[in-house]
Amino acid sequence: MEKKVKKAIFPAAGLGTRFLPATKASPKEMLPIVDKPMIQYAIEEATACGIEEFIIITGKYKRSIEDHFDSAFELEESLKKAGKKRLLEEISRLNHINFAYIRQRAALGLGHAIYCAKPFVKDEPFAVLLSDDIIDPDDTLLKDMIKLHRELNAPVLALQQVPMSEIHKYGVIDGIRERDGVYRINKLVEKPKSSDAPSDMAIIGRYILTPDIFDILEGIGPGRGGEIQLTDALCSLLKKRPIYGYLFKGTRYDAGDKVGYLKATVNIALKNPQVSDQFKEYLIEVVKSLKINV
Ligand code: UTP
C-alpha cells in the first residue's frame, strides 16, 4: 500500500571544505543567507510540503544546528519584555517542530549519512533535502516530487539541466522522457567528465526515496572520492525497480559553492521587504562604479 511522505532527512555532516576557513569549526549549513541559516530554508520548504518528522544528520562541530532549532527561553522572554513582537514571532516560528538528530561519526559520504537515518525512517518513503541547494521559496519542487512519487510509487530524483562545463560536479542521468518534465532513468553516473556524461541532466539536492535503499547502502563500499555515494546505491536500486527524474525548471542556488552562495544572498536579499529597496540602490551604485553598461 502506498505510504505518505511524512519524514525528511537533512544531511548536514559534511566537512564543507569549499568554505574553509569559515567551516573549520562551524557548520556550513549555519551560514546565513540574509537573516536565516541555509538549513532553515530547507526546513521551511519541507514544512510547506506537509513533512511531519525532521531528521538532521549532524557531525563534529555541528552543535549550533541543534541550538538553532531549540527554543531560546531567555531570548524569547527578553524580546517579549521589550515588545519586539516581530522578532519574537520570527525566532519561535519553528518551535512546534520536533527534530531528531543523528550523529554521523565520520563524514563517509552522502550515502552513509542517509544510511545513518535508517532506524528513524523504518519502512516509509522519505524525502532528502541538501540544504546547500537552495530552492527559491516561490517554487514548488518538493511538493511536485511528492505528488509524482504518490502517482508512480517509485523513487523520484530532482534534476536540472546544467552547462556541460559544470557537469563534472554532479550525478548525471540518462533517461527516457515519459512526459513533460518526467524521465524514467536508465543510467546514473557520479561526477562524469563532460565527454562521458550521458546527458546534461544533473541530480540536484532533493530526493524522494523508498526504504529499500537502506539495504543497498548497507552493502556498498566507498566509491568515487573514497565516499559512500548515494548515486552508487541508486545504480544498484535501478536494477530492481524503476526510478524517475523530475526536471526542475525553477531557480536553484548551489550555495555550497562560494559564487552560488553569493548569488543566493543577492537574489534572496532583493526579495526581502526589509532590505530590498536599500540593497537595490546599493547594487546600482556598485554596477555604476564598475562602469558596466546595463
Ligand atoms: P557536499 O558534497 O556539499 O560536501 O555534501 P560537503 O562536505 O558539505 O562540502 P565540500 O564539498 O567539502 O565543500 C552534500 C550534503 O551532504 C552532507 C553535507 O553536509 C551536505 O549537506 N554530507 C556529506 C553529510 O551529511 N555527510 C557526508 O559524509 C558527506
Side-chain angles (χ1 to χ4, degrees), residues 25-37:
S26 322
K28 170 176 77 175
E29 296 74 13
M30 286 299 291
L31 291 175
I33 307 268
V34 186
D35 54 5
K36 283 189 284 196

Side-chain angles (χ1 to χ4, degrees), residues 228-258:
I228 297 178
Q229 298 283 1
L230 177 62
T231 309
D232 292 345
L234 291 169
C235 282
S236 300
L237 188 62
L238 199 51
K239 293 180 192 135
K240 297 185 179 161
R241 68 181 300 164
I243 301 180
Y244 291 86
Y246 177 70
L247 188 61
F248 178 53
K249 297 194 179 125
T251 308
R252 171 188 70 104
Y253 304 104
D254 176 8
D257 164 270
K258 284 177 195 141

Side-chain angles (χ1 to χ4, degrees), residues 11-18 28-29 104 107-110 113 130 132:
L15 300 177
T17 52
R18 283 170 290 165
K28 170 176 77 175
E29 296 74 13
Q104 187 188 17
L108 299 179
L110 176 60
L130 304 187
D132 51 2

